Amino acid sequence: MEENVSNPTSKHIETLYSFNTTYGADSVEWCPHVQYQNFFVCGNYELDETNTESVQKRLGCIYLFSVNCDTGLKLHQQVNTVGILDLKWCPNLVQGSSLLGAVNSDGILEIYQFEKESLNLLTKYVFNPNTIESILILSLDWSTGKYENDQPLISCSDSAGNIHVLHFNTTNLTVESFWHGHTFQAWITAFYYWDTNSILSGGDDALFLVFDKRIKDMPVTKNKEHGAGVTSLHSNKSKEYVIASGSYDENIRLWDIRHMKRSTDIFKMPGTLWRLKWDPFVQNFLLAACMLGGVHIVSALTNHPMGIVESYYEHKNISYGADWSFLDKNEVEKFNSAGNVVIGTCSFYDKLLCISKTYCDF
C-alpha cells in the first residue's frame, strides 16, 4: 500500500459569509433535521487570562446561526458557557425534538433542546464532580448515526484517557459504561454505527482502539499504525465496516473494522488532521480540517485511491472545525456562486467562522 502525497493547490470553494467569533472557534455542526437544515452551531473557547487560580479556566460560548439566501447569515443566540470542546446534534429527532450535545472544559456533558429558534438546556451530566484536578471532556458522539432510537447512547472521551457511555432517557443522563482507554488524552471517541456495542477511540498515545462496551476494560482491537496522536474517527453509515481516521501524523486512513491489523488505504494531507466528516449524502467524500494545512474535500470512493478534490485556505491559524450542511441542492442553488453543497468551517487563533459553497460530484 503506497502512501499518496497531496498537491495542496487552491481550488474552487467560495466564501458566502464570514463571522468573527468572540473566542477561538473549534467546532461547527449543522443541524441534520429537515425543518432546521439551514441552522448550525459554532462552539468556541479561550483561556481566562485574568484567572489567578492554579487550575486553568476556559471561557466559551455556543453560537446558533441560520443561513438564508435572502437574509444571509443570521445570529439567533449566544449561549455563554465555559470552554466548548465538541458539539454534536443527535442524528434523529428524539420524541419529536432536535437535541444538541455539548462537552466542555468543566467536565460536563450538556444536552440542549432546539425549539423556536433557540437552544434551551434540557439536562446535563457532571463527570468526576468531587475531583480537584480539572478533567476536560474532549469529544462526544451519538449512537444513532444509522439506526434511530428515542433513547440514544452518547459516548464521551476525556483528558485523562477515559471513555464514558451514557444513556439518554427523556430528560435524564445515566452512565451505562466507563473504562480507562488511553495513557494520555483520549482526543476522540465514536460509535461504529452498524453495531453500537462497538466504541472507537483515539488518543494522544497514538493508539486506535475498538472496545465492546459489554466487555469494557480490554479493547477487542488495538492498532498502533498511526505515527502520532489519533484525533478524528468517523464510521461510514452507508458502507458497512468502513471507518475513517485522522491523526497528528497528517494522514487520513481508511479501515475495515473486520481486519484491523492494517489500514486499507492511507493518504498524506498538507497538515495535521483534527476533524474528518463523511458527507451526509452518499458518504463517498470526507471533509477534513487540517489545522495549519487548510480545509479539504477528499474523495474516498471504494476501490479508488483517495485524493483531494477541493481545498480552502481562508483560515490562517488552526482550522479545527468543519462540517457539511444537509441542505439539498435546490436550496443550495438559491445562494449566489456555483456549487451544489454548503459547508461550514472555523479556525481558532484568527477567531473566524466561514460559510462557503462548492461543488462535489455526489
Side-chain angles (χ1 to χ4, degrees):
M1 180 171 55
E2 292 186 4
E3 180 182 280
N4 301 298
V5 179
S6 62
N7 178 18
T9 56
S10 294
K11 297 191 179 179
H12 307 99
I13 302 179
E14 184 173 340
T15 305
L16 298 175
Y17 313 106
S18 60
F19 182 89
N20 291 318
T21 59
T22 305
Y23 307 120
D26 63 1
S27 181
V28 176
E29 296 288 328
W30 287 85
C31 187
H33 307 133
V34 172
Q35 63 270 50
Y36 302 126
Q37 288 178 348
N38 61 320
F39 283 85
F40 68 94
V41 289
C42 176
N44 46 105
Y45 78 86
E46 189 170 285
L47 285 175
D48 183 0
E49 301 293 347
T50 66
N51 178 51
T52 58
E53 300 175 25
S54 58
V55 177
Q56 288 184 320
K57 295 292 185 182
R58 291 170 173 82
L59 306 173
C61 71
I62 303 170
Y63 291 113
L64 174 68
F65 292 96
S66 67
V67 290
N68 182 282
C69 60
D70 296 320
T71 58
L73 178 68
K74 181 178 179 180
L75 175 62
H76 292 265
Q77 186 182 12
Q78 178 178 328
V79 181
N80 292 316
T81 65
V82 295
I84 295 295
L85 299 171
D86 196 13
L87 296 166
K88 294 284 187 346
W89 295 93
C90 183
N92 63 284
L93 294 172
V94 176
Q95 297 180 357
S97 293
S98 293
L99 301 181
L100 175 72
V103 291
N104 66 41
S105 58
D106 273 4
I108 301 172
L109 166 65
E110 297 179 331
I111 305 298
Y112 291 88
Q113 186 176 30
F114 177 48
E115 57 182 355
K116 297 180 180 177
E117 300 185 354
S118 67
L119 296 168
N120 302 296
L121 183 62
L122 185 64
T123 189
K124 65 181 179 180
Y125 185 86
V126 181
F127 298 87
N128 304 315
N130 300 315
T131 302
I132 296 175
E133 183 182 356
S134 176
I135 299 294
L136 311 181
I137 307 301
L138 299 173
S139 75
L140 80 148
D141 194 24
W142 298 81
S143 62
T144 52
K146 181 169 180 64
Y147 303 112
E148 295 188 3
N149 194 320
D150 263 353
Q151 297 185 21
L153 300 175
I154 304 169
S155 63
C156 297
S157 64
D158 70 32
S159 56
N162 301 310
I163 310 299
H164 315 256
V165 179
L166 296 94
H167 178 247
F168 176 81
N169 182 6
T170 312
T171 60
N172 296 316
L173 286 166
T174 55
V175 174
E176 181 180 282
S177 302
F178 163 83
W179 60 89
H180 184 71
H182 296 269
T183 306
F184 306 113
Q185 293 95 334
W187 292 123
I188 186 71
T189 182
F191 284 95
Y192 172 55
Y193 296 139
W194 294 74
D195 178 1
T196 55
N197 287 311
S198 296
I199 311 291
L200 320 172
S201 69
D204 209 44
D205 52 11
L207 294 179
F208 174 17
L209 306 178
V210 181
F211 292 90
D212 186 318
K213 68 181 177 64
R214 297 164 297 187
I215 302 171
K216 298 189 296 187
D217 296 333
M218 294 296 294
V220 293
T221 63
K222 183 177 183 178
N223 186 276
K224 301 179 181 180
E225 183 177 317
H226 299 84
V230 181
T231 54
S232 188
L233 295 165
H234 200 195
S235 171
N236 191 307
K237 70 176 183 180
S238 68
K239 298 174 178 61
E240 193 174 5
Y241 312 123
V242 176
I243 296 163
S245 72
S247 169
Y248 283 135
D249 69 9
E250 302 186 352
N251 288 294
I252 295 176
R253 290 175 171 83
L254 299 182
W255 303 84
D256 183 327
I257 198 170
R258 299 168 298 179
H259 309 290
M260 289 293 294
K261 183 174 289 187
R262 189 177 182 184
S263 59
T264 59
D265 201 358
I266 183 171
F267 185 73
K268 182 76 170 180
M269 295 296 289
T272 297
L273 272 298
W274 186 254
R275 279 283 187 272
L276 277 178
K277 299 280 188 69
W278 288 106
D279 76 82
F281 306 108
V282 294
Q283 293 81 53
N284 285 335
F285 298 89
L286 288 161
L287 185 61
C290 292
M291 296 180 72
L292 291 174
V295 177
H296 310 272
I297 295 174
V298 177
S299 175
L301 294 162
T302 305
N303 299 321
H304 289 77
M306 281 190 284
I308 291 175
V309 294
E310 298 288 359
S311 297
Y312 187 67
Y313 291 105
E314 288 301 307
H315 298 286
K316 305 304 179 187
N317 210 329
I318 311 294
S319 299
Y320 271 147
D323 197 20
W324 310 84
S325 82
F326 292 76
L327 292 167
D328 65 34
K329 63 179 182 179
N330 293 325
E331 289 299 312
V332 172
E333 285 175 358
K334 295 177 183 178
F335 295 94
N336 290 330
S337 77
N340 63 347
V341 66
V342 169
I343 61 172
T345 56
C346 67
S347 47
F348 197 77
Y349 290 110
D350 44 1
K351 302 178 182 179
L352 181 63
L353 164 72
C354 294
I355 304 303
S356 308
K357 185 177 176 181
T358 188
Y359 180 79
C360 207
D361 189 17
F362 296 127

